[in-house]
């Protein structure tokens, strides 16, 4: 047992040299006044994640602190206090913004206003879904509503809008603004104008009404996407009934059962779960129509034109070109993938070998399993959570000069005892911010891996830098009496992915909170088609043997993960990957059509059928309406393509900057300087071109995605 514990706990961050560096470090503030002193209470990261959290003395004794160190939030009632404080501050800042002489200070006041409200709203957005105490969740929900009401009020404050409009219409004043300040001012103006504030009073009221209606329709649509459908049990063969929940005489179908090995179960689930619901069809029609009306009212030809302002793509025409060219390049590969799946179906089910949409996920997985031995349980012993965290720590230290250290939270600072608090420390700049790691499974916790901004970074009025605070939420297994938390390869990839988001937030050292890092109030502050680049890039590091070899050791024996196991894992992801990507192209194209020119020429279901036949390849199934389960139409309306474009950028950055040497400090510094440091304060294409040091065409984006599908034949033949 002693040997096992030592293997769990030792790692690069646990070295005496690292601790000496901590005590010695008195770094500066990254160019801003106010150096961040290094805490002597920090400890190495690996050991803290491989054992269950034990309450420290300061958690057991002393006064209870508030959530995230916010004094008011030591109880649920504190949300009301924090909210009222923010609202009073907001009212004072509105007066200042309207009275202050126009200039850079106007933009600073607008940003202070944004920061005052976001400090409460962003924190409440997280707490309302993640806190285990219902009283906290309800109080946070109420705070979100009240702050939201204030934001709506500000968006219709004509005097506030006019102060910004006067600034941006004065050529001399605009010329005096530095590029970041001008960009932030333009973003605030964009936020105003998409709310219709520049319109006359009657149209402005229509815009407000449309915004309210769109919010209501969005909520209703999202809710219905998760509702089960039911079917009379007598209509189903008795042998498959056990696969579904029951409600009296009905079987409830709650999902597509895509991983079921029984073809009939998948077919029934697909046809029942996707059976059209008239209310949901009407809800989607209304949502799309109202979005189009709002876009036209505020001056855009379509909702897609409005949604794509400031993105890498810039316009729906560019997105359509990107998707069509990608589909063209994928075509032959997709046909071959479907032929492979059809062959596997014929092998396993000779009576019915026609390939249908419900077959794609299952048979692509079956081919993967047959061709490569990638059973997750073979990998888990090499991926203890502590080892994976040390791997991230070592990678960030070599690439960016950044180390992760565990800091003991104060009593009441975290919402669950197994949440870990990480200090992010630069070797010369000192403390950069905090990451709260809510990694472990618990009852009622959302089953979604995600990143939340709790507080954005910004340069404060006194010259100090407001440090960013984020939460990473995963759903990992707990340690047991005989083993630390062990991750599957998929969990490892998700950990690296979400840590990419966190580093973007930590290193987005912007002057303004409004453009810091990744997410604020549930919206990306950098463009959606750029926001996933840092996270997807981390997936490439997680798949590189040179990186994995530094930390993937068997938790009992210390044996390194064999190279051929990593190779098999990487190559297995390319099996049927063209068909998988083609499916994403289909979804993204459908999204563009729905948010394009209105009125739509056909029903959403007829458009689905036509688009599926053109951009996917597997037949449309009559009496199904997949679009009614497409929840991303709400949060990513006209922007579903973003994941593909972000992956293309990440692929190019990996191949041209890190593939040769994944630990290159020079490239790491360029990555920070060109892509991470600006948040949303710089045009995304300029950031990408600065990193790659060249101009890009649509063909470059398409080529990057397609080249990722090429097999490593040396690995393939060796393993075969």
């Amino acid at each position: 047992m002693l040997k096992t514990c030592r293997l769990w706990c030792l790692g690069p961050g646990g070295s005496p040299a690292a601790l000496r560096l901590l005590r010695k470090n008195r770094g500066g503030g990254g160019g801003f006044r106010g150096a961040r002193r290094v805490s002597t209470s920090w400890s190495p990261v690996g050991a803290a994640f491989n054992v269950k959290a034990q309450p420290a003395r300061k958690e057991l004794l002393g006064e209870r602190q508030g959530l995230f160190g916010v004094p008011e939030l030591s109880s649920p009632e504190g949300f009301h206090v924090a909210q009222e404080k923010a609202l009073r501050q907001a009212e004072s800042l509105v007066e200042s913004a309207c009275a202050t002489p126009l200039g850079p200070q106007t933009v600073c006041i607008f940003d202070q206003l944004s920061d005052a409200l976001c400090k409460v709203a962003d924190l409440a957005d997280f707490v309302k879904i993640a806190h285990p105490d219902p009283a906290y969740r309800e109080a946070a929900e109420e705070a979100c509503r009240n702050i939201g009401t204030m934001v709506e009020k500000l968006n219709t404050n004509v005097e506030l809008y006019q102060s910004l409009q006067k600034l941006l219409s004065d050529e001399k004043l605009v010329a005096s603004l530095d590029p970041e300040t001008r960009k932030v001012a333009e973003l605030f103006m964009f936020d105003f104008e998409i709310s219709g504030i520049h319109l006359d009073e009657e149209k402005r009221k229509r815009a407000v009404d449309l915004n309210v209606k769109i919010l209501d329709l969005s909520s209703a649509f999202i809710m219905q996407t998760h509702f089960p459908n039911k079917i009379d049990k007598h209509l189903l063969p008795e042998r498959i009934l056990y696969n579904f929940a029951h409600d009296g005489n009905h079987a409830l179908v709650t999902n597509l059962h895509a991983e079921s090995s029984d073809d009939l179960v998948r077919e029934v689930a697909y046809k029942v779960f996707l059976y059209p619901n008239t209310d949901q069809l009407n809800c989607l029609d209304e949502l799309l129509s109202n979005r189009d009306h709002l876009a036209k009212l505020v001056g855009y030809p379509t909702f897609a034109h409005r949604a794509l302002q400031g993105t890498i793509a810039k316009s729906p025409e560019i997105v359509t070109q990107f998707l069509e060219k990608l589909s063209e390049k994928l075509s032959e590969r997709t046909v071959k993938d479907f032929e492979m799946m059809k062959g596997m179906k014929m092998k396993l089910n000779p009576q019915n070998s026609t390939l249908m949409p419900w077959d794609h996920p299952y048979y692509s997985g079956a081919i993967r399993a047959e061709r490569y031995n990638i059973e997750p349980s073979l990998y888990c012993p090499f991926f203890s959570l502590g080892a994976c965290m040390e791997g991230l720590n070592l990678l960030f230290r070599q690439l960016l000069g950044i180390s992760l250290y565990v800091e003991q939270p104060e009593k009441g600072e975290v919402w669950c005892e197994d949440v870990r608090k990480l200090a992010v420390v630069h070797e010369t700049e000192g403390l950069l911010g905090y990451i709260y790691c809510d990694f472990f499974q618990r009852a009622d916790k959302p089953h979604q891996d995600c990143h939340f901004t709790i507080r954005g970074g910004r340069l404060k009025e006194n010259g100090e830098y407001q440090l960013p605070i984020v939460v990473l939420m995963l759903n990992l297994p707990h340690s047991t009496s005989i083993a630390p938390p062990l991750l599957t390869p998929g969990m490892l990839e998700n950990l690296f992915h979400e840590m990419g988001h966190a580093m973007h937030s930590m290193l987005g050292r912007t002057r303004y909170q409004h453009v810091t890092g990744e997410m604020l109030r549930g919206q990306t502050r950098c463009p959606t088609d750029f926001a996933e680049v840092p996270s997807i890039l981390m997936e490439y590091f997680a798949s590189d043997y040179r990186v994995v070899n530094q930390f993937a050791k068997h938790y009992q024996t210390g044996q390194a993960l064999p190279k051929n196991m990593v190779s098999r894992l990487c190559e297995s992801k390319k099996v049927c990957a063209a068909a998988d990507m083609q499916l994403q192209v289909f979804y993204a194209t459908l999204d563009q059509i729905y948010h394009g020119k209105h009125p739509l020429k056909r029903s959403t279901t007829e458009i689905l059928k036509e688009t599926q036949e053109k951009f996917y390849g597997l037949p449309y199934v009559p009496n199904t309406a997949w679009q009614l389960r497409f929840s991303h139409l709400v949060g990513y309306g006209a922007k579903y393509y973003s994941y593909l474009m972000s992956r293309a950028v990440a692929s190019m950055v990996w191949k041209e900057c890190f593939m040769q040497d994944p630990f290159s400090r020079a490239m790491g510094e360029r990555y920070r300087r060109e892509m991470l440091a600006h948040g949303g304060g710089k045009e995304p294409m300029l950031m990408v071109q600065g990193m790659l040091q060249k101009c890009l065409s649509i063909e470059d984006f398409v080529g990057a995605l397609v080249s990722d599908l090429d097999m490593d034949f040396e690995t393939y033949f060796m393993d075969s």
Side-chain angles (χ1 to χ4, degrees):
M1 191 64 184
L2 177 61
K3 179 180 177 184
T4 302
C5 288
R6 287 182 63 196
L7 284 168
W8 292 0
C9 298
L10 289 180
S15 66
L19 293 175
R20 283 199 300 274
L21 172 66
L22 268 177
R23 297 189 185 105
K24 181 181 176 184
N25 189 339
R26 293 291 185 268
F32 299 113
R33 203 186 79 198
R36 299 289 167 189
R37 293 176 64 86
V38 173
S39 170
T40 56
S41 66
W42 291 333
S43 60
V45 71
F49 283 88
N50 266 358
V51 295
K52 286 191 176 180
Q54 298 296 325
R57 183 176 179 82
K58 67 179 181 178
E59 282 187 287
L60 297 171
L61 304 173
E63 293 184 17
R64 182 177 177 82
Q65 303 297 310
L67 283 172
F68 298 103
V70 178
E72 294 90 346
L73 300 185
S74 58
S75 69
E77 294 73 26
F79 265 109
H80 180 74
V81 177
Q83 153 206 308
E84 290 303 309
K85 181 180 174 183
L87 294 177
R88 286 194 302 272
Q89 188 179 357
E91 288 174 358
S92 173
L93 287 166
V94 168
E95 291 178 10
S96 297
C98 296
T100 300
L102 298 177
Q105 186 59 25
T106 306
V107 183
C108 290
I109 294 171
F110 268 81
D111 192 65
Q112 290 171 44
L113 177 57
S114 173
D115 183 58
L117 296 174
C118 284
K119 274 181 183 172
V120 177
D122 290 323
L123 195 158
D125 268 342
F126 168 72
V127 171
K128 74 179 183 182
I129 68 165
H131 202 291
D133 184 343
Y136 266 103
R137 294 200 300 269
E138 289 166 14
E141 181 79 56
E142 177 68 18
C144 283
R145 280 196 294 271
N146 292 332
I147 295 290
T149 300
M150 175 55 124
V151 170
E152 288 174 22
K153 185 178 173 184
L154 293 175
N155 284 341
T156 55
N157 186 318
V158 177
E159 189 180 1
L160 191 63
Y161 161 70
Q162 287 175 342
S163 68
L164 191 62
Q165 184 191 41
K166 287 174 185 174
L167 171 66
L168 288 173
S169 60
D170 187 315
E171 290 184 9
K172 280 189 176 179
L173 285 175
V174 170
S176 72
L177 304 179
D178 63 80
E180 186 181 17
T181 302
R182 181 175 178 175
K183 173 74 173 174
V184 171
E186 289 170 348
L187 287 171
F188 277 120
M189 181 59 75
F190 177 72
D191 288 344
F192 269 126
E193 292 188 346
I194 62 172
S195 300
I197 198 169
H198 58 300
L199 305 172
D200 61 47
E201 189 173 348
E202 182 185 343
K203 288 181 179 177
R204 192 161 62 242
K205 184 178 183 306
R206 275 178 60 203
V208 170
D209 291 343
L210 281 168
N211 271 311
V212 171
K213 194 167 185 181
I214 287 167
L215 279 173
D216 291 343
L217 289 166
S218 297
S219 297
F221 183 81
I222 281 280
M223 193 177 299
Q224 189 68 39
T225 61
H226 302 297
F227 280 5
N229 274 349
K230 59 174 67 175
I231 184 171
D232 193 312
K233 286 193 291 190
H234 299 102
L235 297 175
L236 300 180
E238 192 170 336
R239 72 174 182 83
I240 69 168
L241 283 174
Y242 76 93
N243 291 278
F244 307 106
H246 296 165
D247 179 16
N249 291 324
H250 292 91
L252 293 180
V253 182
T254 58
N255 60 66
L256 293 173
H257 290 255
E259 303 303 321
S260 173
S261 60
D262 190 320
D263 286 2
L264 185 58
V265 170
R266 295 195 311 278
E267 179 179 353
V268 166
Y270 190 94
K271 289 179 175 178
V272 174
F273 191 62
L274 299 183
Y275 191 79
N277 175 294
T278 303
D279 289 342
Q280 184 76 332
L281 278 168
N282 293 336
C283 182
L284 178 58
D285 287 342
E286 272 197 82
L287 175 60
L288 297 176
S289 176
N290 278 281
R291 280 178 166 176
D292 181 70
H293 287 324
L294 179 61
K296 287 187 170 78
L297 188 64
V298 298
Y300 293 94
T302 69
F303 181 81
H305 283 88
R306 175 192 145 172
L308 296 177
Q309 284 286 300
T311 60
I312 292 176
K314 294 187 176 174
S315 74
E317 291 79 16
I318 297 294
V319 173
T320 299
Q321 286 181 47
F322 167 63
L323 294 172
E324 287 179 348
K325 288 188 176 184
L326 179 55
S327 184
E328 186 182 322
K329 290 288 185 183
L330 290 173
S331 178
E332 286 186 19
R333 294 171 186 254
T334 301
V335 169
K336 289 177 182 176
D337 284 355
F338 285 147
E339 286 299 323
M340 277 198 299
M341 292 182 220
K342 187 175 179 181
M344 178 60 76
K345 185 172 184 180
M346 189 178 293
K347 179 179 174 180
L348 298 180
N349 184 8
Q351 291 79 23
N352 181 13
S353 60
T354 303
L355 197 67
M356 298 299 289
W358 54 80
D359 293 325
H360 178 158
Y362 176 73
Y363 285 111
S364 61
I367 295 168
R368 236 173 258 125
E370 182 181 75
R371 187 173 292 179
Y372 300 98
N373 186 12
I374 51 167
E375 170 57 41
S377 62
L378 298 174
Y379 289 84
C380 290
F382 296 93
F383 295 148
S384 74
L385 177 57
C388 296
M389 293 302 296
E390 283 294 2
L392 284 163
N393 192 22
L394 189 58
L395 178 63
F396 292 146
R397 191 178 306 155
Q398 292 175 89
L399 278 179
L400 299 162
I402 284 171
S403 296
L404 307 174
Y405 293 97
V406 176
E407 182 171 306
Q408 189 66 44
E410 299 289 340
K411 182 180 179 181
E413 185 179 346
V414 296
W415 50 101
C416 186
E417 66 177 13
D418 55 23
V419 172
R420 311 295 203 273
K421 180 183 180 183
L422 292 181
V424 181
V425 185
H426 190 271
E427 61 192 15
T428 60
E429 297 167 29
L431 182 62
L432 298 182
Y434 289 106
I435 303 171
Y436 288 81
C437 300
D438 187 356
F439 281 176
F440 299 105
Q441 298 164 347
R442 64 173 177 269
D444 299 326
K445 183 179 180 181
H447 292 286
Q448 188 176 2
D449 296 343
C450 44
H451 160 277
F452 296 86
T453 293
I454 302 301
R455 184 177 74 190
R458 73 180 184 99
L459 182 61
K460 296 195 287 188
E461 295 67 54
N462 62 5
E464 292 183 0
Y465 198 78
Q466 175 174 290
L467 296 179
I469 298 172
V470 304
V471 173
L472 294 189
M473 192 162 71
L474 305 176
N475 280 275
L476 304 179
H478 289 272
S479 60
T480 68
S481 59
I482 58 171
L486 300 177
L487 278 57
T488 65
M491 291 173 183
L492 169 70
E493 185 174 278
N494 288 350
L495 171 63
F496 271 64
H497 180 102
E498 297 303 334
M499 195 59 80
H501 284 305
M503 281 299 116
H504 195 188
S505 293
M506 293 295 109
L507 294 171
R509 309 299 275 182
T510 55
R511 191 183 322 172
Y512 300 103
Q513 177 269 167
H514 195 65
V515 291
T516 189
E518 291 254 343
M519 293 278 192
L520 290 166
R521 290 289 289 133
Q523 300 294 321
T524 54
R525 275 308 184 200
C526 60
T528 313
D529 54 8
F530 182 84
E532 290 293 325
V533 173
S535 53
I536 295 173
L537 181 61
M538 285 300 295
E539 295 177 20
Y540 286 90
F541 285 98
S543 299
D544 189 279
Y545 181 71
R546 294 163 294 180
V547 175
V548 175
N549 187 50
Q550 296 213 330
F551 67 86
K553 307 287 190 291
H554 197 289
Y555 78 97
Q556 289 175 315
T557 66
Q559 175 197 352
L561 180 65
K563 184 176 182 180
N564 71 324
M565 287 182 68
V566 178
S567 300
R568 287 205 307 270
L569 192 61
C570 294
E571 292 308 299
S572 73
K573 295 175 186 175
K574 299 176 184 178
V575 173
C576 300
D580 294 342
M581 193 177 291
Q582 188 72 60
L583 183 60
Q584 295 304 309
V585 171
F586 158 47
Y587 294 162
T589 304
L590 188 68
D591 174 43
Q592 287 298 305
I593 295 171
Y594 283 168
H595 290 101
K597 191 174 180 181
H598 275 244
L600 296 174
K601 294 178 181 177
R602 291 169 295 286
S603 72
T604 57
T605 303
E606 288 168 332
I607 292 170
L608 170 80
K609 178 178 184 293
E610 182 180 290
T611 309
Q612 181 168 333
E613 289 169 354
K614 182 178 178 182
F615 285 96
Y616 185 28
L618 295 184
Y620 166 76
V621 179
N623 295 315
T624 64
W626 178 85
Q627 77 275 21
L628 303 184
R629 301 290 183 177
F630 191 13
S631 59
H632 285 92
L633 285 173
V634 171
Y636 288 84
K639 294 186 282 191
Y640 190 80
Y641 78 93
S642 295
Y643 188 80
L644 285 168
M645 190 158 276
S646 287
R647 181 163 286 282
V649 173
S651 174
M652 287 186 278
V653 171
W654 170 256
K655 288 167 189 162
E656 300 199 22
C657 303
F658 294 109
M659 190 163 74
Q660 186 175 347
D661 178 6
F663 306 110
S664 168
R665 183 63 179 269
M667 285 300 174
E669 292 296 343
R670 188 204 288 182
Y671 178 49
R672 178 183 181 182
R673 183 177 65 250
E674 298 292 348
M675 294 188 79
L676 297 180
H678 306 286
K682 187 176 178 179
E683 291 296 325
M685 186 62 98
L686 293 179
M687 290 191 276
V688 176
Q689 291 174 350
M691 184 68 198
L692 297 174
Q693 300 187 339
K694 65 178 183 181
C695 293
L696 299 169
S697 66
I698 291 176
E699 287 75 16
D700 291 321
F701 288 89
V702 170
L705 289 170
V706 174
S707 67
D708 275 355
L709 305 175
D710 293 332
M711 302 291 288
D712 178 346
F713 286 104
E714 182 182 347
T715 300
Y716 175 73
F717 286 123
M718 181 179 68
D719 288 338
S720 295

